[in-house]
Amino acid sequence: MRTITVQELADQFSLEVLAGFHHMQRKIGKSRAYRPGLEFVGYFDFFPQEHVQVLGKKEITYLHKLDLDERKQRIGNIVKYHPPCFIVTANQEGLKYLTKYCEQEEIPLLRTGATTTEFLGRLDAYLTKTLAPQIAIHGVCLNVSGIGILLRGKSGVGKSETAHTLIRRGHRLVADDIVVLKKLSPQTLLGTHDEKTKELLALRSIGLINVSRLYGRKAFQEETRIVLDIELTKWQENALNNELELEPSFTEYMDVKIPHIEIQLQPGRDVAGLIEAAANSWYLRQQGYSAAEEFMKRLKMD
């Protein structure tokens, strides 16, 4: 299971540390934050104690209104579960009592100026991506007309050269050689780079090029949702399918199914153009359109 430290979270969101300075290396392994509510009145049957705890104005206002003894009991009931950290939103003040209990239990207490709704949205998005299960595979990742494509094939088949042609046509590189795949949900696969190869494309006989420097910032993007898995293979006579509509094929990555297409290579074949066609065809299918169905309707009308 992937984890990050409270210190990494604090650095990412520029959080102010109010307590627990010496315990910032505590681990966070859950991808969603939690706002304790029922727990303050003693109901803990479903308390996600391993999650980051966010305290907004409702929670802090409630605590402020309690008398000293009751406040001690309510806070004590939660801190004894030792969640990774507490984060107070909207720069709320009057937190000496909360600071005291967090120090006693060695739990970091952090604060942000952002509103609760804004901060929770950003925090959950960050944790989901950062803590998502991931694998690294050999290939090229591109965004073609807004469609995330994973381009695979044996070494030397021409993946990077094809990617270069697509970039020159206005599409975007995400990763070359090493593609990091992150599983955000049972249906969502995110493709990104491994930082070391960011913006770099390796071309045989040329070497490394920086696509952002060569073709401008629009030639690169950090990540994309993968919706097509395209494999480049060597040409085989009589192996191409000419059916009106091929049976769907899929590749699985971490149990996420991605539509798979094989494109055979031959001198003079516009592989980049075929990839553009595949991306646009996929988009039209999502809108409910099928060229094969339209053709069959036309035949029936004759």
Side-chain angles (χ1 to χ4, degrees), residues 166-186:
L166 287 164
I167 292 165
R168 290 186 60 203
R169 292 185 181 184
H171 307 295
R172 297 178 177 181
L173 175 71
V174 176
D176 180 42
D177 191 29
I178 298 175
V179 180
V180 177
L181 300 178
K182 297 187 175 187
K183 181 181 178 180
L184 301 188
S185 78

Side-chain angles (χ1 to χ4, degrees), residues 77-91:
N77 285 341
I78 290 182
V79 297
K80 70 180 181 182
Y81 285 93
H82 292 91
C85 65
F86 289 95
I87 302 177
V88 176
T89 62
N91 274 336

Side-chain angles (χ1 to χ4, degrees), residues 51-292:
H51 293 241
V52 172
Q53 306 294 310
V54 175
L55 303 176
K57 286 189 175 181
K58 290 181 180 178
E59 292 80 17
I60 295 300
T61 300
Y62 170 76
L63 292 174
H64 283 347
K65 291 181 177 180
L66 300 177
D67 61 45
L68 189 62
D69 290 336
E70 190 172 9
R71 184 189 298 154
K72 179 179 179 180
Q73 178 186 355
R74 301 302 185 197
I75 297 174
N77 285 341
I78 290 182
V79 297
K80 70 180 181 182
Y81 285 93
H82 292 91
C85 65
F86 289 95
I87 302 177
V88 176
T89 62
N91 274 336
Q92 296 176 87
E93 298 181 346
L95 305 174
K96 287 185 178 180
Y97 58 88
L98 192 55
T99 301
K100 173 185 174 183
Y101 297 124
C102 286
E103 287 285 6
Q104 288 176 354
E105 298 294 333
E106 301 180 347
I107 302 171
L109 174 63
L110 313 169
R111 182 165 61 184
T112 176
T115 64
T116 307
T117 302
E118 173 198 352
F119 181 69
L120 277 173
R122 292 167 52 209
L123 178 59
D124 283 346
Y126 169 75
L127 291 176
T128 297
K129 289 183 181 179
T130 305
L131 300 177
Q134 67 179 47
I135 58 173
I137 68 167
H138 177 67
V140 181
C141 184
L142 297 150
N143 185 282
V144 177
S145 300
I147 308 300
I149 289 177
L150 185 60
L151 192 61
R152 298 186 299 110
K154 292 182 179 180
S155 182
V157 78
K159 298 183 296 297
S160 297
E161 289 79 1
T162 301
H164 179 250
T165 302
L166 287 164
I167 292 165
R168 290 186 60 203
R169 292 185 181 184
H171 307 295
R172 297 178 177 181
L173 175 71
V174 176
D176 180 42
D177 191 29
I178 298 175
V179 180
V180 177
L181 300 178
K182 297 187 175 187
K183 181 181 178 180
L184 301 188
S185 78
Q187 297 83 32
T188 307
L189 199 66
L190 192 74
T192 187
H193 53 81
D194 69 346
E195 291 294 340
K196 296 177 184 177
T197 59
K198 179 179 179 178
E199 301 177 326
L200 300 179
L201 184 67
L203 299 174
R204 290 178 183 270
S205 304
I206 304 296
L208 285 175
I209 64 169
N210 185 309
V211 298
S212 295
R213 296 290 185 92
L214 206 58
Y215 299 112
R217 288 178 297 174
K218 290 184 178 180
F220 172 80
Q221 72 179 55
E222 290 284 344
E223 58 192 27
T224 187
R225 181 187 175 188
I226 304 293
V227 298
L228 275 180
D229 177 72
I230 297 180
E231 183 179 6
L232 302 184
T233 61
K234 291 184 178 180
W235 182 270
Q236 295 179 12
E237 293 293 339
N238 303 318
L240 291 181
N241 296 297
N242 292 313
E243 289 87 348
L244 292 180
E245 193 163 38
L246 298 176
E247 286 294 321
S249 175
F250 298 91
T251 307
E252 285 194 16
Y253 299 99
M254 296 178 287
D255 298 323
V256 180
K257 283 188 173 184
I258 304 297
H260 171 81
I261 297 173
E262 179 183 337
I263 295 179
Q264 294 190 15
L265 304 178
Q266 189 181 50
R269 202 168 194 222
D270 183 9
V271 178
L274 291 173
I275 291 174
E276 289 176 320
N280 291 326
S281 179
W282 177 89
Y283 175 78
L284 288 174
R285 284 198 298 272
Q286 305 312 300
Q287 307 305 308
Y289 172 79
S290 167

Side-chain angles (χ1 to χ4, degrees), residues 5-15 17 24 110 126:
T5 65
V6 175
Q7 183 64 64
E8 289 176 293
L9 187 66
D11 293 342
Q12 175 68 27
F13 291 97
S14 301
L15 302 176
V17 183
M24 297 292 286
L110 313 169
Y126 169 75

